[in-house]
Amino acid sequence: MLAASLVRRVLSTPSTLAKAVISRQIPQQPSSFLRFVHTNSVDDATKQAVNKLRDQLRFYAIAEVAGRPLLITKNDLVTVHRLKDVSVGDVLTLDKVREIGSKDYVLRGQPYVNEDLFNIQATVIEQTKSKMISITKKKRRKNYKRTVTHKQTHTVLRISNVDVNKLD
């Protein structure tokens, strides 16, 4: 009985060593916590980086199309989930770009790169459907079996232009 009460007392009041371990595991945030904010202004360092990037031959970009990030280069064919507001032959300007770069240089956004720094265009090639997808639902020993079939709609885009704009 005495040993059990000692164990309860020890477990109910943490020792100073346990307090020290707990305080080491949870880092304290400084009072002046600074977050990075994306601004539309372009400083001199960014201008120099953009001009170095412009000197490269080929560019790639990580752009968001229909809410999904895609790695794209010029003349790529990209298949995305159906875009409702477009028709075949429309030219789209991609403005949500997370990263643009080349073999040697990269510009990363926070979360997106400034739209004044690049020009990315895509042309709608076709609105198509995928092959027939069959989904089977079954519950064992209940004589329950259902089959649902459908075709997913897609939009095919051709990336026609990936350029970095010149800054003065």
Side-chain angles (χ1 to χ4, degrees):
M1 194 72 164
L2 181 63
S5 63
L6 285 176
V7 170
R8 279 191 212 124
R9 195 175 309 143
V10 169
L11 290 178
S12 64
T13 59
S15 65
T16 57
L17 179 63
K19 288 180 184 176
V21 169
I22 291 171
S23 66
R24 282 189 209 138
Q25 290 176 350
I26 303 171
Q28 298 295 325
Q29 293 288 338
S31 60
S32 62
F33 185 71
L34 180 65
R35 289 192 173 155
F36 292 103
V37 178
H38 179 68
T39 61
N40 290 332
S41 63
V42 179
D43 56 348
D44 291 333
T46 305
K47 287 181 183 180
Q48 291 174 358
V50 167
N51 290 332
K52 284 183 181 180
L53 182 62
R54 241 181 97 71
D55 294 338
Q56 302 294 312
L57 295 175
R58 294 181 53 93
F59 305 111
Y60 73 91
I62 298 177
E64 281 190 12
V65 180
R68 294 174 184 248
L70 298 171
L71 178 68
I72 57 175
T73 59
K74 188 174 180 178
N75 295 328
D76 278 352
L77 273 177
V78 179
T79 303
V80 295
H81 289 298
R82 181 171 179 255
L83 302 175
K84 295 179 183 178
D85 301 334
V86 299
S87 60
V88 176
D90 286 351
V91 177
L92 307 175
T93 301
L94 304 180
D95 57 350
K96 290 188 177 182
V97 174
R98 294 182 180 182
E99 179 178 312
I100 188 165
S102 66
K103 181 179 176 184
D104 298 325
Y105 300 104
V106 172
L107 284 176
R108 288 194 180 105
Q110 298 172 356
Y112 301 115
V113 178
N114 192 343
E115 295 178 25
D116 299 333
L117 303 179
F118 62 89
N119 182 20
I120 299 176
Q121 293 180 342
T123 306
V124 178
I125 301 298
E126 64 180 340
Q127 302 266 8
T128 184
K129 291 185 178 182
S130 66
K131 64 179 185 178
M132 186 69 75
I133 298 171
S134 177
I135 301 169
T136 303
K137 298 179 181 180
K138 181 183 184 302
K139 294 188 180 181
R140 63 182 190 160
R141 297 189 302 270
K142 304 296 183 202
N143 195 18
Y144 177 82
K145 186 175 181 180
R146 300 288 184 267
T147 302
V148 178
T149 58
H150 76 285
K151 290 185 177 183
Q152 186 70 38
T153 55
H154 298 288
T155 301
V156 180
L157 303 173
R158 165 84 62 188
I159 306 299
S160 56
N161 189 12
V162 178
D163 280 334
V164 176
N165 295 337
K166 186 174 183 177
L167 296 177
D168 296 328

